[in-house]
Amino acid sequence: SQVNQALSKHLQMERPDKFAILAMLTRLRQICCEPRILYENITTASSKLLYCLDLLETLRENHQRVLLFSSFTSVLDILEEELIKRRFSYLKLTGNNTKQQRRDMVQQFQNGLTDVFLISLKAGGTGLNLTAASAVIHFDPWWNVSAQNQATDRAYRIGQHNNVQVVKLIAKDTIEEKIMHLQELKQDLSDSIIHLNDGLITSMSKDEIMDLF
């Protein structure tokens, strides 16, 4: 309700503040992923996180090695804590890693030394050859569809001989479902939200923006 009140104020402006709208969208996306990112008083894991961990357990039991992507490094931090508790072997790649660390982690994963490779959107969308993976999980949807496909393709580079299972985790009846639907209607939605291009956010009607919330 607080977000909707703030949104109403922005929509009353002659030119709505697209940066403010993006910030509101991001906050709602984070809540869908893991409310503990935003609220210190929440101590239990989200249903999405628990489902993801169950899925990872199943994949490990079946000897499948996983690439797990998220737009939020804070989500990867929480996943890292949970993987440690469950004795997974893992790697985590974010924009803070050096080029050498990046190369070393790719080699470790390709050599079969880890179960799960946690990868952030900014760090792992391109330039990685991770054909040792047999499963890809997108923890949260990337509004830029082409970038999401590029990330999935990390497991489909030359040299891949396995069938690769791809799973997208979408919270039902949330902004995640709404934006996935809008992607089908407006192909340039993702670029507008990620890159703040002139176009979709500013050209969407007030009703269309409200429907996201």
Side-chain angles (χ1 to χ4, degrees):
S1 60
Q2 291 178 343
V3 172
N4 282 335
Q5 290 175 9
L7 177 65
S8 296
K9 291 181 180 179
H10 283 284
L11 292 180
Q12 290 172 8
M13 300 177 183
E14 183 177 350
R15 292 187 177 181
D17 186 340
K18 61 184 178 182
F19 288 97
I21 293 172
L22 176 63
M24 292 180 223
L25 285 168
T26 299
R27 185 177 179 185
L28 292 180
R29 290 176 60 203
Q30 289 173 324
I31 291 172
C32 291
C33 291
E34 179 53 66
R36 286 181 292 173
I37 296 172
L38 298 174
Y39 302 106
E40 294 181 357
N41 61 327
I42 295 178
T43 57
T44 57
S46 68
S47 57
K48 178 185 272 198
L49 183 72
L50 293 175
Y51 177 85
C52 181
L53 292 169
D54 286 343
L55 176 59
L56 289 173
E57 291 279 8
T58 300
L59 292 169
R60 180 169 63 172
E61 290 171 4
N62 288 287
H63 308 290
Q64 295 193 59
R65 301 176 57 244
V66 185
L67 307 181
L68 194 158
F69 293 95
S70 177
S71 305
F72 304 108
T73 56
S74 50
V75 167
L76 298 183
D77 291 340
I78 291 176
L79 277 165
E80 180 179 20
E81 293 174 3
E82 298 295 338
L83 292 180
I84 291 171
K85 292 178 185 176
R86 289 163 173 78
R87 299 185 181 277
F88 277 85
S89 59
Y90 73 93
L91 297 163
K92 184 175 72 170
L93 176 63
T94 70
N96 293 326
N97 294 111
T98 65
K99 291 182 179 179
Q100 184 60 51
Q101 289 172 333
R102 181 184 175 102
R103 286 192 291 268
D104 290 344
M105 283 190 278
V106 168
Q107 184 174 5
Q108 288 180 55
F109 187 81
Q110 289 294 93
N111 289 339
L113 302 179
T114 54
D115 300 316
V116 182
F117 201 161
L118 305 174
I119 306 175
S120 71
L121 164 63
K122 291 184 178 180
T126 58
L128 299 178
N129 188 338
L130 297 167
T131 53
S134 56
V136 175
I137 297 175
H138 293 287
F139 191 85
D140 43 278
W142 299 5
W143 311 147
N144 188 321
V145 179
S146 60
Q148 181 170 288
N149 291 339
Q150 285 176 350
T152 299
D153 286 345
R154 298 313 96 207
Y156 280 105
R157 304 299 290 273
I158 295 172
Q160 175 59 271
H161 302 293
N162 302 318
N163 291 323
V164 179
Q165 177 182 359
V166 180
V167 179
K168 299 177 183 179
L169 302 181
I170 306 297
K172 186 177 180 180
D173 298 326
T174 69
I175 189 173
E176 291 187 342
E177 268 195 343
K178 292 177 180 180
I179 292 188
M180 293 293 284
H181 175 64
L182 279 175
Q183 281 182 340
E184 299 173 2
L185 300 177
K186 300 191 176 186
Q187 192 61 44
D188 62 342
L189 171 66
S190 56
D191 292 333
S192 297
I193 291 181
I194 294 295
H195 302 298
L196 294 176
N197 294 339
D198 290 334
L200 191 70
I201 288 295
T202 53
S203 66
M204 287 176 68
S205 70
K206 292 182 180 181
D207 288 341
E208 288 174 324
I209 294 175
M210 283 298 298
D211 187 56
L212 287 175
F213 292 83

